[in-house]
Amino acid sequence: MRTHYNNELTIKNLGQRVTLNGWVSRTRNLGSLFFADLRDRFGITQLTFAEGEIFTKAHVLKSEYVIEIEGIVIERQSKNPNLKTGEIEVLVDKLEILNEAKQPPIIISDDENILEETRLKYRYLDLRIPKQQKYLIERHKIVQSVRNVLVNRGFYELETPFLGRSTPEGARDYLVPSRIHPGNFYALPQSPQLYKQLFMVAGFEKYFQITKCFRDEDLRADRQPEFTQIDIEASFINEKDIMNLAEELVIDTFNNVLNLKVDANFDQITFNDALKYYGTDKPDRRFEMLIKDYTKYFKNIDVPLFNNESYIAGIIVDEAKFYSRKKIDELTNIIKKHNAKALAFIKNNNGEYSGSIVKNLNDEQLNNLKLEDNQMLLLIPGEFETVSNALGVLRLQVAKDLNLIDNNKYDFLWVVDFPLLEFDHEDNRFYARHHPFTHPKNVDDLKNNPKQALARAYDLVINGYEVAGGSIRIHQSDVQDLMFETLGFSDAEIKAKFGFFVDALKYGTPPHGGIAFGLDRLVMLITKTNNIKDVIAFPKTQNARDLMMDAPNLVEEIQLKELSIKVSEDK
């Protein structure tokens, strides 16, 4: 139908006869002339209707009408340097209205601030907005870049089932009832973990898949109930091999999509150091403000707030004058939501000290803190992990308050040496920190000192977001049995829940490992949006609803009966 897209015509096309298709973006009636901007996914072309029947016909055009036009390319009198086609316009002599449009409930423009609820209800219109289309086009480019690297490295793109069995140790499963087997349920995959390991057992050696995963968990701005993973697994490799491959994927993607050259050597930090200095296992290092241990400093100073506390740590904040007492109270409320007991502070204003614990320190002790003018020390007492987590949240809040984060910078960091297990005192048992198929760094530690056992696991962090995580897997059945036993599973439970997998390990399983990228989160970072919904075509709301499809929804009683399900009336 068309001869050109709406970003192609330039001054070089003057005098050519062209055919264009698209949506009417906006119209302008100047009396003797009628203008319309024609939009498609590539750009905009200005149309001019000058006289006669075509001029009269153009007056019926409204926003979002779908049209086809023919005309001659002419030079534009009032040029627009912001458009690729800004030097020309098309003098239209033929117009066909392919479809009319009602007044849309949202304005199709990058400049409009539309309520998220309205955007999601009319997502098919929201996706006409150029900015929204760009997010998904960038997503496409990222996927193709990743796929090309992996295929060129000898990886096979293989699929795994969506209907599997529910297994413990993860987030809540989405369950699918079976009509053929009443009372039994499939589970949608939280990841293809077991299946991809079975590909390694089967001898494929190099596997990848760009696949949907499902987790029934509380949502945040960077989390959805269904999400997409770039899932990778390989045999006869170690941590360095997988990490090098992941770096190659990131470098290639940033180069292809953003035309940005990324340094080939990513930094590494241990889990303990990440927690100690940044208060999180996904540090944002685009600004300084490291956490410092003040436990020894306050050991012999009588501060009632710190008495009997095993750990005292803090951060030094510039621009102390920004923080009024009201703002410090706001910071206190934030850290208390993260289980911290209290927030103490000391300010230096031209050598005059003030703050909640200043009265407990003498001049020498205050001077030894080495606070410069207009600096403030924020301190939290308590247990190491609780204090670190709270300071991590506090550090990010202060960085936002003082605009310390360089949004044009990308920081790439590997976090390694994670604990293999974590102990739940309420349940009086261990849980796998990553998953129960992660290989310990030292099998003897798993056997004799599980609290201190480290995992052969690694996370890739970009700008404070975990974008990829993986591990070397257990490939020997006796080590896998030991892991299950340490997690408290009986022989009967192991056989019932993982029997097929444990059996598979007995038939010559190679050493193997892998990594999974969160594609949605990676696209979110590359496109510099702060909401994961922007980069997913049809996302859910914060309470896991699809407003456009009105899902989840009630179903007919006959459908429930076929599935042997009865819905309780108790709410």
Side-chain angles (χ1 to χ4, degrees), residues 236-265:
F236 306 109
I237 47 83
N238 57 30
E239 293 92 327
K240 187 176 181 181
D241 297 321
I242 290 291
M243 292 162 77
N244 286 344
L245 174 65
E247 290 181 15
E248 183 182 344
L249 285 176
V250 169
I251 291 167
D252 192 79
T253 298
F254 273 74
N255 186 35
N256 289 341
V257 178
L258 292 180
N259 197 26
L260 180 66
K261 186 173 176 59
V262 174
D263 190 347
N265 297 310

Side-chain angles (χ1 to χ4, degrees), residues 24 62 71-72 166 187 216 254 257 331 346 426 504-505 531 543:
V24 175
K62 295 180 182 178
I72 304 298
S166 180
D216 186 4
F254 273 74
V257 178
L331 295 180
I346 299 172
E426 286 188 15
L505 294 181
N531 193 331
N543 63 349

Side-chain angles (χ1 to χ4, degrees), residues 271 281 415-421 433 453-459:
F271 169 84
D281 60 0
V415 181
V416 297
D417 287 352
F418 285 87
L420 182 68
L421 308 169
R433 191 169 189 112
L454 297 179
R456 295 180 67 182
Y458 31 82
D459 281 358

